[in-house]
Amino acid sequence: MIRPSLVAGLLGLCSLPLWAAPPCSVDLEASDRIAYDRELIEVSRSCREFTVNLRHSGTQEKTRMGHNWVLVRDADLPAVHDSGLLGGFANGFVQPGDARVIAASRLLGGGESQAVTFTVSRLQPGEQYRFFCSFPGHGGLMQGRLRLVD
Ligand code: CO
């Protein structure tokens, strides 16, 4: 007689990969509060590309509670933030052609989502990176660290 718990256990074992490949994507969510649901994103250097699945799970319009995801070097954040504001709503508060922006999503309103993919070779070992929301007034609270890891 085969016990259900044994079957479940075997199925669980079979679904394990032989080696644990690191995930090359992460889910990141923000709602009608000025916050992301995580403050750290770790990117394995074994990934060629990395994808951030950004979701605005709130209901507010992007003109009132817009969220985006902008990736920069730590040192570039203040300047990218300020020039993004000058870029204005029409540009999703990211200055077009700003070479300091490593990756950026559109500005999302409630219910919207976007996957942003960037090439991992753009990240340098030992460098500090930060992601933030460039919507006016959000950058101070909506930000986190992104690290390159083995
Ligand atoms: Co925001």
Side-chain angles (χ1 to χ4, degrees), residues 5-57:
S5 62
L6 179 62
V7 173
L10 287 172
L11 288 175
L13 280 178
C14 292
S15 68
L16 285 175
L18 291 178
W19 72 94
C24 294
S25 67
V26 71
D27 294 338
L28 183 67
E29 192 175 308
S31 64
D32 288 333
R33 292 171 48 236
I34 303 175
Y36 293 119
D37 69 347
R38 64 169 68 231
E39 294 176 340
L40 174 65
I41 294 176
E42 293 189 320
V43 176
S44 168
R45 64 182 88 229
S46 68
C47 297
R48 197 175 66 78
E49 293 187 321
F50 192 86
T51 299
V52 173
N53 299 303
L54 178 67
R55 193 164 93 88
H56 188 325
S57 59

Side-chain angles (χ1 to χ4, degrees), residues 25-26 28 38-45 50-52 69-74 77 102-103 116 118-120 122-132 143-149:
S25 67
V26 71
L28 183 67
R38 64 169 68 231
E39 294 176 340
L40 174 65
I41 294 176
E42 293 189 320
V43 176
S44 168
R45 64 182 88 229
F50 192 86
T51 299
V52 173
W69 184 84
V70 182
L71 177 63
V72 292
R73 291 191 312 143
D74 242 27
L77 194 151
I102 299 165
V116 186
F118 61 93
T119 305
V120 174
R122 289 205 60 187
L123 305 179
Q124 288 158 7
E127 186 62 76
Q128 308 287 321
Y129 296 95
R130 232 159 229 287
F131 60 89
F132 72 105
Q143 60 167 276
R145 281 194 310 135
L146 184 141
R147 292 203 306 151
L148 193 61
V149 297

Side-chain angles (χ1 to χ4, degrees), residues 34 65-68 133-135 138 142:
I34 303 175
M65 184 57 72
H67 297 313
N68 63 5
C133 175
S134 66
F135 189 84
H138 287 201
M142 290 187 80

Side-chain angles (χ1 to χ4, degrees), residues 56-118:
H56 188 325
S57 59
T59 58
Q60 293 199 38
E61 300 285 316
K62 66 178 138 199
T63 49
R64 288 176 52 86
M65 184 57 72
H67 297 313
N68 63 5
W69 184 84
V70 182
L71 177 63
V72 292
R73 291 191 312 143
D74 242 27
D76 290 334
L77 194 151
V80 171
H81 176 268
D82 290 352
S83 68
L85 291 181
L86 294 175
F89 181 80
N91 292 305
F93 298 107
V94 176
Q95 190 68 249
D98 189 336
R100 297 166 298 194
V101 174
I102 299 165
S105 75
R106 300 189 307 270
L107 191 63
L108 305 182
E112 296 184 314
S113 57
Q114 188 189 2
V116 186
T117 299
F118 61 93

